[in-house]
Amino acid sequence: MEPTVSLAVCALLFLLWVRVKGLEFVLIHQRWVFVCLFLLPLSLIFDIYYYVRAWVVFKLNSAPRLHEERVRDIQKQVREWKEQGSKTFMCTGRPGWLTVSLRVGKYKKTHKNIMINLMDILEVDTKKQIVRVEPLVSMGQVTALLNSIGWTLPVLPELDDLTVGGLIMGTGIESSSHKYGLFQHICTAYELVLADGSFVRCTPSENSDLFYAVPWSCGTLGFLVAAEIRIIPAKKYVKLRFEPVRGLEAICAKFTHESQRQENHFVEGLLYSLDEAVIMTGVMTDEVEPSKLNSIGNYYKPWFFKHVENYLKTNREGLEYIPLRHYYHRHTRSIFWELQDIIPFGNNPIFRYLFGWMVPPKISLLKLTQGETLRKLYEQHHVVQDMLVPMKCLQQALHTFQNDIHVYPIWLCPFILPSQPGLVHPKGNEAELYIDIGAYGEPRVKHFEARPCMRQLEKFVRSVHGFQMLYADCYMDREEFWEMFDGSLYHKLREKLGCQDAFPEVYDKICKAARH
């Protein structure tokens, strides 16, 4: 009982402090207190609930039986909206704070909310090597189930709470993407409810225009109700090599070389300054050298990006064997490196051993409790951006990131971009190697102002035929947006499927210029 009493006393003292100082002051200046006392325990409860629920549903095999009934209910809601005069646009009824994106969509308050309660894995077919899932299935669910039966997704994006629907309607990437492409490129079929309430299934050969137009469309062509995704046999460990590299030219050359080697199952880089990086390459294996086994996902282990940085500081190469699921979610506990700004002492060994089992707080709860003042502060003094540029432009791109925002560490993740129809494809007619440059943190460029600095970065990305991930703040005007993305197929389908009166255009849904 003593820990419970201690926690209760701490909570009481915290509430008294809030009463004296005011909630807004505490949330802004001492956010870690609120996060540690309330959000960490609450996040743990959420995780336990969703894990147990997913396990029970899958074991009882109730998801496939209930799926068709739930889809019919969505169709009914859409038809009722249509019968009532189609007065406003439609959107999913999932609250904006539940999404992983830091942006909170104000359209949820003005659009017709269609309730979509689809969060289950429907089927795993190892003969066809396909998993069929509902859109709210998370990457944490997927790895927990598939890895336990010896399978995995070819591309399994990092954070536990990322959902299949978000990764399809937005995009997703992982360090295996140099072999397999983006998350959309491992999907083999989508099932949607359209603006008229009808149901449609699309594949590369059936309703192919819709199949290629859905990715990056952010729910503006229809409601995703299921997806079929490729799976591949999994092995128990990732044999991961760490190589520190110094000098920007050497970093770019080494990273490009490793990204082109198909024998690498995983390729990733962490850039700690413009001329210091650690490049990691991995292969899946069932064999392990016990002395080199590192279960990095254990709660008491150092945060992964700090562990990687040690190889740079000591200027030594390394080889480790990491359990597969630990590798997939290696950046989850520290939310890449964002958690160091929320809990500054979070990587301290004492904190990790005592409270690391509750980390990380859920991004959705952080959003829900941040308040308007803190949100505006984050917007002006914090950057969360992923820019996708051709690998041949990597050196130029890193110089631009340094000059425009100056945020480190920077995440480097290569991917192959096939020449396919849709919003995102290479400039030419052949597949091209691209790289995701992820910048998350407080800009250190002098006199940083979010809008002009980000518009300058967006302009560079457009000039090299790159793309901005749409979960992030986007400052482009409409003309600039459609210069970056190929809207030809998208607009053709919006007209054909009657989407103009049913869903906002993707630009109006995500860009700041359209929402202010």
Side-chain angles (χ1 to χ4, degrees):
M1 287 295 288
E2 286 184 10
T4 306
V5 172
S6 299
L7 193 61
V9 171
C10 289
L12 182 60
L13 291 173
F14 174 75
L15 291 172
L16 290 171
W17 186 37
V18 168
R19 185 175 178 84
V20 173
K21 288 288 191 178
L23 182 60
E24 188 173 275
F25 175 89
V26 173
L27 290 181
I28 293 173
H29 298 286
Q30 304 293 338
R31 186 154 172 74
W32 65 267
V33 179
F34 181 75
V35 169
C36 291
L37 284 179
F38 292 97
L39 296 194
L40 286 182
L42 196 55
S43 298
L44 183 66
I45 292 168
F46 266 59
D47 284 337
I48 292 171
Y49 167 76
Y50 282 114
Y51 176 83
V52 171
R53 182 197 175 281
W55 185 84
V56 170
V57 167
F58 191 79
K59 288 297 182 182
L60 294 178
N61 200 32
S62 61
R65 296 198 308 271
L66 296 173
H67 177 73
E68 290 185 9
E69 181 183 327
R70 290 170 180 162
V71 172
R72 284 194 295 271
D73 179 64
I74 294 166
Q75 291 179 284
K76 179 184 175 185
Q77 292 179 67
V78 172
R79 286 170 182 148
E80 286 175 352
W81 163 85
K82 198 169 180 65
E83 289 167 4
Q84 292 165 4
S86 313
K87 295 175 183 177
T88 61
F89 290 137
M90 290 183 289
C91 67
T92 64
R94 191 185 190 206
W97 61 269
L98 273 175
T99 63
V100 171
S101 167
L102 294 181
R103 182 176 60 245
V104 178
K106 295 180 179 178
Y107 60 86
K108 295 281 186 180
K109 296 178 181 179
T110 57
H111 293 7
K112 169 65 176 177
N113 282 211
I114 303 298
M115 302 310 297
I116 298 178
N117 184 28
L118 301 171
M119 56 178 66
D120 296 316
I121 297 172
L122 300 172
E123 178 186 9
V124 179
D125 189 329
T126 55
K127 289 184 179 178
K128 293 181 180 178
Q129 296 197 0
I130 292 292
V131 60
R132 183 167 173 256
V133 300
E134 293 180 329
L136 295 181
V137 165
S138 71
M139 291 301 99
Q141 276 178 268
V142 169
T143 49
L145 174 65
L146 289 184
N147 291 176
S148 70
I149 57 175
W151 293 84
T152 188
L153 300 184
V155 177
L156 206 152
E158 169 65 38
L159 300 178
D160 278 19
D161 289 343
L162 291 170
T163 63
V164 167
L167 295 167
I168 291 170
M169 290 296 184
T171 192
I173 192 169
E174 185 42 84
S175 53
S176 56
S177 288
H178 68 292
K179 288 172 66 75
Y180 299 105
L182 298 171
F183 190 82
Q184 68 207 58
H185 300 126
I186 64 167
C187 295
T188 59
Y190 306 129
E191 298 172 19
L192 297 103
V193 171
L194 301 180
D196 61 357
S198 63
F199 171 86
V200 65
R201 184 176 185 271
C202 54
T203 70
S205 58
E206 176 189 4
N207 299 309
S208 59
D209 278 357
L210 183 58
F211 177 82
Y212 290 115
V214 162
W216 294 73
S217 65
C218 298
T220 60
L221 292 173
F223 294 110
L224 184 71
V225 294
E228 292 177 13
I229 311 168
R230 286 173 54 202
I231 58 175
I232 58 174
K235 295 187 178 181
K236 294 179 181 178
Y237 304 99
V238 173
K239 183 181 180 182
L240 193 64
R241 295 187 181 275
F242 302 80
E243 184 173 347
V245 185
R246 286 179 166 82
L248 182 59
E249 193 171 329
I251 291 168
C252 294
K254 176 68 175 175
F255 195 79
T256 302
H257 173 70
E258 295 296 349
S259 301
Q260 292 169 338
R261 296 180 61 204
Q262 291 300 296
E263 55 265 41
N264 287 329
H265 296 164
F266 306 100
V267 179
E268 174 185 30
L270 293 185
L271 193 73
Y272 291 91
S273 72
L274 190 59
D275 59 359
E276 292 181 310
V278 177
I279 295 173
M280 290 160 278
T281 55
V283 293
M284 279 197 285
T285 179
D286 284 324
E287 299 175 355
V288 64
E289 297 177 45
S291 63
K292 295 180 180 178
L293 177 63
N294 186 4
S295 299
I296 59 172
N298 290 342
Y299 69 88
Y300 51 83
K301 289 283 188 173
W303 290 346
F304 184 69
F305 78 98
K306 287 293 188 183
H307 173 63
V308 174
E309 190 176 19
N310 282 331
Y311 284 103
L312 187 66
K313 288 179 176 179
T314 56
N315 197 31
R316 62 186 175 90
E317 296 183 8
L319 173 66
E320 297 178 3
Y321 291 82
I322 299 172
L324 180 62
R325 191 160 188 252
H326 289 210
Y327 175 79
Y328 279 139
H329 301 293
R330 62 201 177 280
H331 293 298
T332 295
R333 282 191 301 125
S334 56
I335 317 177
F336 282 86
W337 30 92
E338 289 280 67
L339 196 58
Q340 66 182 350
D341 292 332
I342 300 169
I343 307 177
F345 47 83
N347 193 48
N348 183 285
I350 297 173
F351 180 86
R352 292 200 314 265
Y353 275 90
L354 292 178
F355 304 108
W357 50 278
M358 290 192 288
V359 167
K362 297 188 86 63
I363 295 174
S364 53
L365 295 178
L366 290 170
K367 283 172 62 178
L368 180 64
T369 58
Q370 71 179 170
E372 189 65 16
T373 303
L374 188 59
R375 187 193 66 77
K376 288 180 178 178
L377 283 172
Y378 256 77
E379 185 179 302
Q380 287 303 318
H381 304 289
H382 201 86
V383 165
V384 180
Q385 291 284 347
D386 282 85
M387 298 293 189
L388 316 180
V389 300
M391 183 68 80
K392 62 190 177 187
C393 303
L394 175 57
Q395 190 166 334
Q396 184 185 2
L398 293 178
H399 272 296
T400 304
F401 269 71
Q402 163 97 354
N403 295 334
D404 290 348
I405 56 176
H406 199 275
V407 170
Y408 293 101
I410 279 179
W411 190 52
L412 302 177
C413 186
F415 69 99
I416 191 72
L417 184 60
S419 180
Q420 295 177 346
L423 285 161
V424 171
H425 54 74
K427 194 171 185 179
N429 295 321
E430 295 183 357
E432 185 174 353
L433 189 62
Y434 269 63
I435 182 166
D436 173 11
I437 303 176
Y440 326 118
E442 186 175 342
R444 286 179 277 173
V445 67
K446 286 185 179 179
H447 312 300
F448 174 80
E449 292 183 42
R451 189 176 187 277
C453 289
M454 287 313 307
R455 279 187 56 76
Q456 197 165 305
L457 189 57
E458 290 167 347
K459 182 179 180 181
F460 165 76
V461 173
R462 290 196 305 275
S463 73
V464 297
H465 197 73
F467 309 96
Q468 180 179 25
M469 282 199 187
L470 300 183
Y471 77 88
D473 284 333
C474 173
Y475 293 84
M476 292 181 282
D477 63 32
R478 195 178 303 271
E479 184 179 347
E480 292 165 340
F481 182 84
W482 291 116
E483 180 187 334
M484 179 179 283
F485 297 97
D486 181 358
S488 53
L489 179 61
Y490 172 78
H491 289 300
K492 171 188 165 186
L493 279 170
R494 274 181 62 83
E495 185 176 350
K496 177 183 176 182
L497 300 175
C499 297
Q500 291 97 329
D501 297 325
F503 306 105
E505 186 184 289
V506 63
Y507 175 81
D508 295 312
K509 193 169 183 180
I510 63 100
C511 285
K512 296 187 74 66
R515 294 183 284 117
H516 291 282

